[in-house]
Amino acid sequence: LSRDITFKNLGIAVIDEEQRFGGKQKERIKEMRGDVDIISLSATPIPRTMQLTMAKLRDISLLETPPPERLAIATFVLPHRMALIKEAIERELDRNGQVYFLHNRIDTMGMKRERLLKLLKHYPSLQIGIIHGRMKEKELLAVMDNFRAKKIHVLVATTIIENGLDISSANTLIVDDATRLGLAQAHQLRGRIGRGTDQAYAYFLYRPKQVTEHASERLEALRAYTNLGSGYQIALRDLEIR
């Protein structure tokens, strides 16, 4: 999309994860539309895309058939409790799996890691890693390589894990404060687990005193739409809430 890149004979452009592109990039794509066929892909189309399709200004096709043997992710929306977090992590560790623990505050990630280590002190060989967007690239890659190699059992992470990680042994997601997430973003994060044939579990935790009306609607939609291929329904509900 850079201005200094030109194509000799571009006929089709496929945009994967359309929801990740910003306004300037969308404008550049719009300039190309006159003579280039464009297919946009997304598990959760952005509200503007939904508006265009509902107004019949843009064609849409739905792919709703999941891969063979893929199971729907068991989703729980529950009040925040350390006992629940302990139980969820233990269940995954006991079946030799791995856990994403989403804590979207970089300044308190170290404290959260120490708290989890204390909570799970009866697992002496437990390794808990940290990953976030401000880390140096080498450091970030090293953590992900260790997680992929199962040297790290629990990964305390920000929403950086939304960026297309595909680790089939990571089948539990615990979101420390789900009220801070948008609906489509929460669904995208849920899609980071359940990439294999094992049953996956997603826990979206909230603190009752911090739940606004809109946050409550988002959490309810997450609870309601758990089937594989439900991203379109979630995007529609997101549009309604907005």
Side-chain angles (χ1 to χ4, degrees):
L1 297 176
S2 300
R3 293 283 175 183
D4 59 349
I5 295 176
T6 56
F7 295 90
K8 183 178 179 182
N9 184 24
L10 184 63
I12 185 168
V14 182
I15 303 165
D16 195 14
E17 302 277 11
E18 185 209 18
Q19 77 282 355
R20 295 192 184 285
F21 291 86
K24 283 186 180 179
Q25 294 162 319
K26 290 278 175 65
E27 287 303 313
R28 181 80 180 102
I29 293 166
K30 202 185 291 181
E31 289 173 17
M32 297 161 58
R33 282 191 186 277
D35 44 24
V36 178
D37 293 320
I38 293 181
I39 299 175
S40 301
L41 312 175
S42 177
T44 49
I46 60 170
R48 177 162 172 73
T49 299
M50 296 298 287
Q51 286 177 317
L52 290 171
T53 59
M54 291 166 75
K56 309 294 184 189
L57 296 173
R58 210 162 164 187
D59 294 327
I60 187 167
S61 298
L62 301 181
L63 182 62
E64 296 180 314
T65 307
E69 299 183 11
R70 185 72 60 86
L71 299 171
I73 297 162
T75 301
F76 305 93
V77 180
L78 298 164
H80 189 284
R81 285 189 299 113
M82 292 308 293
L84 173 65
I85 292 171
K86 181 172 180 281
E87 183 184 333
I89 295 175
E90 285 176 341
R91 184 184 293 118
E92 191 59 59
L93 294 178
D94 289 346
R95 64 174 183 170
N96 200 30
Q98 293 167 282
V99 178
Y100 290 121
F101 187 93
L102 194 131
H103 181 78
N104 214 23
R105 288 182 174 178
I106 293 175
D107 54 339
T108 55
M109 290 179 87
M111 290 166 54
K112 185 58 69 172
R113 177 182 180 274
E114 292 306 313
R115 195 170 181 190
L116 290 174
L117 282 169
K118 198 175 290 185
L119 191 69
L120 299 156
K121 59 187 176 185
H122 50 291
Y123 288 92
S125 60
L126 179 70
Q127 294 296 317
I128 300 179
I130 289 177
I131 190 171
H132 57 77
R134 289 188 203 158
M135 293 169 69
K136 292 178 181 176
E137 188 178 355
K138 277 188 177 179
E139 192 182 355
L140 194 149
L141 289 172
V143 172
M144 283 316 304
D145 285 344
N146 285 333
F147 189 62
R148 200 180 297 276
K150 287 191 163 187
K151 293 176 183 175
I152 291 174
H153 308 100
V154 179
L155 190 63
V156 179
T158 60
T159 52
I160 191 174
I161 60 170
E162 190 184 345
N163 295 317
L165 299 179
D166 189 356
I167 297 175
S168 59
S169 55
N171 284 304
T172 290
L173 167 70
I174 300 170
V175 179
D176 198 29
D177 185 359
T179 59
R180 292 176 172 270
L181 300 177
L183 179 52
Q185 185 181 39
H187 182 64
Q188 290 280 352
L189 285 161
R190 179 166 58 182
R192 293 305 100 216
I193 58 172
R195 312 293 288 183
T197 57
D198 293 332
Q199 178 65 63
Y201 301 91
Y203 299 84
F204 292 93
L205 307 181
Y206 62 90
R207 290 160 176 80
K209 291 181 181 177
Q210 297 176 8
V211 180
T212 63
E213 184 181 346
H214 279 181
S216 178
E217 289 175 338
R218 292 196 300 270
L219 292 173
E220 187 52 46
L222 274 177
R223 185 190 283 123
Y225 299 114
T226 59
N227 292 332
L228 293 166
S230 60
Y232 181 73
Q233 283 76 24
I234 281 181
L236 269 178
R237 185 71 187 106
D238 195 21
L239 184 62
E240 289 173 7
I241 292 170
R242 286 166 186 252

